[in-house]
Amino acid sequence: MADVTPEQVWQDWQEYLEGFGYSVEASEAKSGDTLTVSDITLEIDMPEDQGSASIALDEVLLRDNGDGTVRVSFPESMPMVIVGTGPEGETVKTELDYRTSEFEMSVAGDPDDMTYDYSAASMTVALTGVEAEGEAVEIGAASMTANDVAGTSRMVTGDMRDVFQTFSAGPVTYTLDVTDPEEGGRVLASGGYESVRFEGTGMLPPDIGSDDMAAMLEAGFSMDGRFTFETGTSEFNFENDDAPMKGSTQSRSGTLDIAMNSEQLHYGAAAQEVQIEIEGAGLPFPVELAMQTLALDLTGPVSEGEEPQDFAGAFTLADFTMSEMLWAIFDPGQELPRDPATLVIDLSGKAKLLFDLLDPEQIEAMEESDATPGELNALTLNDLTLRLAGAELTGAGDFTFDNDDLESFDGMPAPEGTLDLKLVGGNTLLDKLIAIGILPQEQASGMRMMMGLFARPGAGEDELNSTIEVTADGQVLANGQRIK
């Protein structure tokens, strides 16, 4: 039967923290089945000579349960101190308090494969003080509380440390009351989520500090995690003599994805059924906005490579609506359809990165030399959709780029490929914009002339199609007609 001892759990903690660059100091005392680790101090240097951070804990109790597992107990209040350097070189000390209620943790497995199961009625991180050059700064308060916390963390050690984690909590709430000590403006905010969940994995190389991300990636560091949120709300109030503003937001659900390895960095965020209300800041009336989906998804290379690497980017604003008060500013007669608007841009391609994106020294050298950071090799427009005021523009295309030819297109790598576009309702929209006085007649005539040059009538009513082609010899064709 596999089992672990309190000493093995504490040793594993120290190795884990030291692997991230922390120095660990503590006193150890064994009494019966319990190992007491007291006067714990964790310190780590901040990157770029920005001071240090330290965490002080009174004590941690690790008790042998007699069945091969270990119970871990923390004090209900654990102070944390972060000491750093401010923008003008001053020493800034930030004090936090980490509080738990009904916290329980058990550790099972063996020394090379430990599983931590934990739960708590609540966990809170609160700002308790800020000092600059030894003097207290009255800036306000900030705290975040997670209720009904439950989680599991499994750590498998070998050549690498493999981490598997799950976490859930809810509700999760935060409050913020901060005053700028110099300008006097005050920020009040509160909100949270009905529930939060996280699932993720990671591979951590030993003995490489977290401040050297390029070295960690080269040694095999990777992570892949997803946060999911349900029913989010927030309220905020900016008290300022010049432009006070307050508002609120709501969302039904959301996700946050983060992944990183030596080849790629991926970031994705999405929210569903978002509502935003804002008033003040010089606005003559409250502003109300809503959207079914708001999403951003980015993937790109992080390390220098000999061969082109994949990248992608997508933005979605689906079923966007706004209050009638906003429409009435420029369309009081309701000439324009109030249909929900949508914008989708979905791109992918291949590019060659000529430096390590997360290496500060290479970034600095690249900036000083004003060298080209990379090469664009291929670009695909998977989807372009713009639906607004009764008109719809859609498109897709695919191009490759010759980085040896920087003359044909004025310093840009020469493209080769085709872009297909379709516009439905464009002329009708122009007529309505003329009718409400937004677009002068002569400008509309110029736009119609341009559409006649670059587009051809489609099969449907008020439909225009366009095929833009760039050939290998540098010609640009619109529907077969050469324009360059």
Side-chain angles (χ1 to χ4, degrees):
M1 297 293 291
D3 57 17
V4 291
T5 66
E7 289 82 3
Q8 290 168 340
V9 173
W10 172 237
Q11 180 65 32
D12 186 63
W13 285 16
Q14 294 179 83
E15 293 175 355
Y16 177 76
L17 293 167
E18 289 170 352
F20 275 99
Y22 285 91
S23 63
V24 182
E25 295 184 1
S27 299
E28 302 176 27
K30 184 71 177 289
S31 177
D33 57 7
T34 302
L35 174 65
T36 301
V37 183
S38 57
D39 300 326
I40 306 169
T41 301
L42 312 177
E43 293 188 355
I44 188 170
D45 292 331
M46 304 290 282
E48 300 181 3
D49 299 324
Q50 292 297 307
S52 63
S54 64
I55 303 174
L57 307 178
D58 291 335
E59 67 175 21
V60 175
L61 304 180
L62 299 99
R63 178 182 178 182
D64 191 332
N65 292 322
D67 58 358
T69 66
V70 173
R71 178 182 178 183
V72 181
S73 301
F74 291 102
E76 292 187 353
S77 177
M78 294 181 286
M80 295 181 284
V81 178
I82 300 175
V83 180
T85 303
E88 298 180 359
E90 73 277 17
T91 300
V92 179
K93 182 171 72 173
T94 303
E95 297 178 345
L96 304 171
D97 190 20
Y98 179 44
R99 300 189 295 266
T100 60
S101 173
E102 300 179 22
F103 177 84
E104 295 182 357
M105 174 182 282
S106 65
V107 188
D110 59 55
D112 296 326
D113 187 351
M114 297 188 188
T115 298
Y116 297 77
D117 290 305
Y118 58 90
S119 63
S122 67
M123 304 174 76
T124 299
V125 177
L127 175 69
T128 56
V130 176
E131 290 185 5
E133 297 296 344
E135 296 184 4
V137 179
E138 297 295 334
I139 66 169
S143 66
M144 176 175 287
T145 297
N147 296 283
D148 293 332
V149 178
T152 298
S153 179
R154 179 186 176 194
M155 296 192 182
V156 181
T157 55
D159 295 336
M160 303 282 286
R161 179 184 289 265
D162 297 335
V163 181
F164 309 87
Q165 293 181 313
T166 62
F167 169 89
S168 64
V172 177
T173 59
Y174 68 87
T175 59
L176 182 67
D177 183 354
V178 177
T179 301
D180 189 327
E182 297 181 357
E183 301 296 333
R186 186 182 183 190
V187 178
L188 298 168
S190 63
Y193 293 93
E194 184 178 285
S195 65
V196 176
R197 182 173 177 82
F198 172 77
E199 294 185 10
T201 62
M203 294 180 63
L204 310 177
D207 304 325
I208 296 179
S210 59
D211 59 337
D212 192 345
M213 182 55 68
M216 290 184 64
L217 290 171
E218 186 177 354
F221 170 83
S222 68
M223 60 171 291
D224 189 349
R226 160 169 277 206
F227 289 92
T228 57
F229 311 91
E230 298 292 337
T231 314
T233 60
S234 72
E235 295 183 357
F236 55 88
N237 187 359
F238 301 150
E239 296 181 356
N240 186 290
D241 294 337
D242 298 328
M245 181 175 64
K246 65 179 181 179
S248 63
T249 68
Q250 296 183 30
S251 62
R252 179 179 60 82
S253 61
T255 58
L256 176 63
D257 296 292
I258 302 176
M260 179 188 296
N261 54 41
S262 61
E263 297 180 354
Q264 285 190 332
L265 171 65
H266 172 235
Y267 173 84
Q272 305 295 327
E273 296 184 17
V274 180
Q275 298 181 35
I276 302 173
E277 297 183 5
I278 302 174
E279 60 181 290
L283 299 172
F285 47 77
V287 173
E288 298 179 6
L289 309 173
M291 57 209 78
Q292 181 66 31
T293 302
L294 179 62
L296 176 68
D297 196 278
L298 301 172
T299 301
V302 295
S303 302
E304 179 181 0
E306 294 293 332
E307 299 297 326
Q309 302 178 65
D310 294 331
F311 72 88
F315 174 78
T316 300
L317 175 64
D319 294 335
F320 172 84
T321 60
M322 58 186 183
S323 60
E324 183 58 35
M325 287 186 179
L326 283 174
W327 277 107
I329 293 176
F330 52 87
D331 184 24
Q334 299 189 6
E335 292 285 341
L336 298 175
R338 300 318 199 230
D339 300 339
T342 292
L343 173 62
V344 177
I345 302 174
D346 186 350
L347 299 167
S348 62
K350 288 185 176 293
K352 185 185 295 184
L353 199 61
L354 303 181
F355 73 105
D356 289 339
L357 188 62
L358 300 177
D359 188 330
E361 293 183 359
Q362 292 193 38
I363 293 176
E364 183 178 356
M366 185 70 63
E367 292 175 346
E368 291 177 352
S369 64
D370 198 26
T372 302
E375 295 180 352
L376 177 62
N377 304 103
L379 180 64
T380 299
L381 177 61
N382 300 299
D383 182 16
L384 168 64
T385 299
L386 175 58
R387 193 177 300 117
L388 177 67
E392 181 181 71
L393 174 66
T394 57
D398 193 30
F399 292 88
T400 59
F401 295 85
D402 183 0
N403 287 271
D404 294 326
D405 181 0
L406 301 178
E407 297 181 359
S408 298
F409 288 84
D410 299 325
M412 171 185 169
E416 179 184 356
T418 302
L419 172 66
D420 293 309
L421 298 169
K422 181 171 75 171
L423 176 63
V424 178
N427 281 298
T428 302
L429 178 57
L430 286 178
D431 291 338
K432 292 182 179 296
L433 294 176
I434 294 170
I436 62 179
I438 290 181
L439 187 66
Q441 178 68 53
E442 59 272 16
Q443 292 185 17
S445 298
M447 295 179 67
R448 285 192 169 99
M449 184 179 299
M450 291 295 293
M451 288 192 296
L453 291 174
F454 288 94
R456 62 186 185 278
E461 182 180 354
D462 196 4
E463 177 183 323
L464 294 174
N465 296 319
S466 182
T467 298
I468 307 299
E469 182 182 3
V470 183
T471 63
D473 58 1
Q475 296 186 50
V476 179
L477 308 177
N479 304 310
Q481 298 295 317
R482 182 173 177 179
I483 58 177
K484 180 183 179 301

